[in-house]
Amino acid sequence: MERYYQEEIECAPREKILEIQNKKIVEQVKHAWDNVPYYRKKMEEKGVTPEDIKGIEDLHKRPFLKKSDLRDTYPTGLVGVPLKDVVRIHSTSGTTGKRVMGFYTKEDLDLWEDCCARALTAAGATDEDVVQVSYGYGLFTGGFGLHGGSQKVGCLTIPMSSGNTERQIMFIQDLKATILCCTPSYAAYLGETMKEMGMSPEDIPLKAGILGAEAWSEEMRQDIEKTLGIKAYDIYGLTELSGPGVAYECSAQTGMHINEDHFVAEIIDPNTGEVLPDGTKGELVFTALDRKAFPLLRYRTRDICVLSREKCPCGRTHVKMAKPMGRSDDMLIIRGVNVFPSQIETVLLNNGYQANYQIIVDRKNNTDSLDVHVEMTPEMFTDDVNEITKRQADLVAGMKNMLGIKAKVTLVAPKSIERSEGKAVRVIDKRKI
Amino acid sequence: MSVKQVSIFIEDKPGKMDEMTTVLAANNINMRAISVAQTDGFGIARIIVDDVYEATTVLKDAGYVNKLTHVVIVEIPNVPGGLNKVLKVFTEANINIKYMYAVSGANVSEQVYMIFRVDDYKAAETELAKAGLRVITEDQVPEL
């Protein structure tokens, strides 16, 4: 039986959701205009006033907000309330430039935790469950977000944080954890470690995982589901928009429901900024409807995906977003072709390898080179040189097929590719452009 | 009858054979024979050791992917035509040899030992025995 945390809103009729969105957007635009000079300036530049925004159908009149705007106003230039009303911040790791911070009032935190509670409940959580939160606690939103959501559902919450894998497994066993929250790459790593310890999925009571904060493929999901003996649910979020729980998967596992009473989603053409119809692939743009401390309006996520309004068997009525193909930041342009690491991962998993790989891009004599390092596994190793070479050639062919360009495949020793216990380092771009 | 050879995945980088044999040395494991198949991008080290279980365990613990393969070790008289006699047995029985290498043999004198990886090791053993050739068993490996 499908469970809901806030059934009335999660399953509300379309008109009801639109009514909520229309009401909230007017207030939120006014809030931004009144309290964030940067927004007022941007709107004035475009010749738009709050009176022009009467509902979400007027949203397109507003200028976009980009990551560069966040950098330009760093750290507190977009904060919409006096700092004395801000009770917490979170921040990205800043690996792709300057850190991005998110700010929260007490009420913002409450609503964020509701979103996470919806995600947990959709994955089957009740107050009988034991939730191990193995996302990092700290500036990263993962740990605190799912922690808050888990407590709201009434689950016994283990604030494990990341790292110390054998202790993680011990806690899962000793406290009979039923739900695991962590990044997909860490879930895969836990699975590998269990295998090495001679354990099988039957040895642990886990039944579900809420995995997010990085791009992962459908094949990787199946792999994790098998090695841990769980159902693996995707969860989506951005620090700028609160963190995990902006969207989450239900039992159908065919896309993530966006919490539309809190966020408006649009898909745009990343080149022209034109709004595209549902079902078209494009860049995801979010407007936070009720966040007061950090009221992001028409924020370009750089995530490439598709929205679907098809009726979901779970009963929820909120729009679904497909798993992002990758952040447009993650997208590599190699010899003029767009390449997402997730495509390479799909080829590896389809060919019997695991998702332990690193992509090395370089440029020699003005030509880009793509080298994919793939870890050898006990399953794929044989004494027969020709067989290994053939499997290697199959990978090259699979990648050519998937990407349209030729990649070199280098087989490397197991565990020789660095595993960060949070997000995996998938790409090394050595090109100096 | 046959002997199990340990095949180990080796990265194609300087120092990788050194690293692998360091693991064996640290665990006091003596190799009776070794051969390395090298191709562009990776290598396979094939070794014959006294205790296969011990060797594979320490290698696995050190993070090496390895596989066991049945090979046939034949005693060959150290005279001209000695090896040829064995190969003739294979030819007549239509047994295909994938690769072969020699035991390093600290005590090479009248006899040498060759290791054969063939498509059908059971047939090879039967034919060799019929031809009166001595095939080494796993218990006899430490004597090589």
Side-chain angles (χ1 to χ4, degrees), chain A residues 207-335:
Chain A
K207 60 179 189 189
I210 298 186
L211 316 178
E214 62 188 16
W216 53 311
S217 61
E218 187 55 40
E219 291 78 8
M220 188 167 176
R221 183 214 303 266
Q222 286 165 15
D223 217 42
I224 292 169
E225 290 195 334
K226 206 168 69 196
T227 49
L228 291 178
I230 60 173
K231 271 194 96 170
Y233 298 90
D234 204 354
I235 186 165
Y236 175 89
L238 296 163
T239 305
E240 303 89 301
L241 287 165
S242 68
V246 171
Y248 60 93
E249 258 182 346
C250 60
S251 56
Q253 289 185 308
T254 51
M256 294 174 274
H257 290 283
I258 294 170
N259 282 310
E260 286 188 283
D261 51 329
H262 299 308
F263 302 98
V264 178
E266 296 170 275
I267 291 282
I268 62 158
D269 179 327
N271 299 314
T272 63
E274 186 199 346
V275 178
L276 302 173
D278 291 340
T280 317
K281 189 170 85 180
E283 182 179 342
L284 192 54
V285 173
F286 275 114
T287 295
L289 286 172
D290 38 24
R291 294 198 63 210
K292 290 293 175 262
F294 212 51
L296 290 197
L297 300 165
R298 295 202 93 198
Y299 180 64
R300 292 183 61 159
T301 63
R302 308 170 313 285
D303 279 332
I304 305 291
C305 83
V306 179
L307 296 183
S308 160
R309 292 205 180 272
E310 267 173 49
K311 195 171 187 293
C312 186
C314 79
R316 287 179 186 79
T317 48
H318 294 226
V319 69
K320 282 203 285 195
M321 59 180 273
K323 207 180 255 303
M325 293 192 59
R327 206 148 274 190
S328 48
D329 296 7
D330 292 343
M331 189 182 81
L332 293 156
I333 301 179
I334 302 169
R335 281 172 243 152

Side-chain angles (χ1 to χ4, degrees), chain A residues 70-82:
Chain A
L70 267 52
R71 278 201 291 268
D72 294 346
T73 55
Y74 179 89
T76 54
L78 291 179
V79 175
V81 297

Side-chain angles (χ1 to χ4, degrees), chain A residues 22-322:
Chain A
N22 286 332
K23 181 167 168 284
K24 284 186 177 180
I25 191 67
V26 173
E27 288 167 16
Q28 185 72 325
V29 169
K30 186 162 186 318
H31 168 65
W33 173 273
D34 289 345
N35 297 295
V36 184
Y38 190 84
Y39 278 126
R40 183 187 287 238
K41 189 172 128 265
K42 277 227 144 192
M43 284 175 71
E44 280 171 349
E45 277 168 15
K46 230 193 158 199
V48 188
T49 65
E51 288 68 41
D52 295 323
I53 313 291
K54 299 193 170 64
I56 59 159
E57 74 279 4
D58 296 325
L59 202 52
H60 66 95
K61 294 177 183 165
R62 281 199 50 91
F64 290 115
L65 196 68
K66 292 183 181 167
K67 201 172 178 177
S68 58
D69 292 305
L70 267 52
R71 278 201 291 268
D72 294 346
T73 55
Y74 179 89
T76 54
L78 291 179
V79 175
V81 297
L83 279 181
K84 73 170 183 54
D85 295 331
V86 176
V87 297
R88 189 174 325 149
I89 69 144
H90 280 286
S91 163
T92 62
S93 54
T95 42
T96 52
K98 204 162 193 169
R99 281 177 183 280
V100 169
M101 287 189 183
F103 297 79
Y104 308 75
T105 63
K106 255 188 193 149
E107 203 196 357
D108 291 339
L109 284 178
D110 191 47
L111 297 178
W112 174 31
E113 290 176 0
D114 279 346
C115 290
C116 292
R118 288 181 194 174
L120 279 153
T121 309
T126 69
D127 57 5
E128 304 275 338
D129 280 293
V130 178
V131 176
Q132 180 149 316
V133 182
S134 304
Y135 284 113
Y137 279 67
L139 286 171
F140 178 45
T141 52
F144 277 98
L146 271 307
H147 181 100
S150 170
Q151 287 194 336
K152 279 210 167 191
V153 179
C155 307
L156 169 55
T157 309
I158 312 173
M160 200 67 198
S161 202
S162 58
N164 200 338
T165 308
E166 295 193 5
R167 189 181 64 187
Q168 299 260 359
I169 295 168
M170 187 191 89
F171 266 80
I172 291 171
Q173 284 193 304
D174 292 356
L175 289 171
K176 303 196 169 40
T178 48
I179 297 176
L180 172 70
C181 305
C182 63
T183 59
S185 56
Y186 194 58
Y189 185 78
L190 270 176
E192 275 174 54
T193 308
M194 272 178 45
K195 241 197 227 170
E196 273 166 24
M197 292 166 74
M199 292 168 66
S200 66
E202 294 75 48
D203 297 326
I204 52 165
L206 285 183
K207 60 179 189 189
I210 298 186
L211 316 178
E214 62 188 16
W216 53 311
S217 61
E218 187 55 40
E219 291 78 8
M220 188 167 176
R221 183 214 303 266
Q222 286 165 15
D223 217 42
I224 292 169
E225 290 195 334
K226 206 168 69 196
T227 49
L228 291 178
I230 60 173
K231 271 194 96 170
Y233 298 90
D234 204 354
I235 186 165
Y236 175 89
L238 296 163
T239 305
E240 303 89 301
L241 287 165
S242 68
V246 171
Y248 60 93
E249 258 182 346
C250 60
S251 56
Q253 289 185 308
T254 51
M256 294 174 274
H257 290 283
I258 294 170
N259 282 310
E260 286 188 283
D261 51 329
H262 299 308
F263 302 98
V264 178
E266 296 170 275
I267 291 282
I268 62 158
D269 179 327
N271 299 314
T272 63
E274 186 199 346
V275 178
L276 302 173
D278 291 340
T280 317
K281 189 170 85 180
E283 182 179 342
L284 192 54
V285 173
F286 275 114
T287 295
L289 286 172
D290 38 24
R291 294 198 63 210
K292 290 293 175 262
F294 212 51
L296 290 197
L297 300 165
R298 295 202 93 198
Y299 180 64
R300 292 183 61 159
T301 63
R302 308 170 313 285
D303 279 332
I304 305 291
C305 83
V306 179
L307 296 183
S308 160
R309 292 205 180 272
E310 267 173 49
K311 195 171 187 293
C312 186
C314 79
R316 287 179 186 79
T317 48
H318 294 226
V319 69
K320 282 203 285 195
M321 59 180 273

Side-chain angles (χ1 to χ4, degrees), chain A residues 195-196 373 376-385 388-389 392 408 410-414 416, chain B residues 5 7-9 11 13 37 39-42 44 46 60 63-67 69 98-99 117:
Chain A
K195 241 197 227 170
E196 273 166 24
H373 285 196
M376 181 51 92
T377 67
E379 292 76 21
M380 298 307 286
F381 180 63
T382 135
D383 175 54
D384 188 342
V385 177
I388 297 180
T389 311
Q392 204 175 0
K408 181 180 171 216
T410 305
L411 296 170
V412 299
S416 62
Chain B
Q5 160 194 274
S7 304
I8 307 143
F9 179 80
E11 280 186 72
K13 282 184 200 151
T39 174
D40 187 26
F42 68 94
I44 300 174
R46 293 155 175 157
K60 187 169 171 278
Y64 287 91
V65 169
N66 62 77
K67 274 256 151 78
T69 314
K98 301 269 185 198
Y99 54 81
R117 162 90 168 105

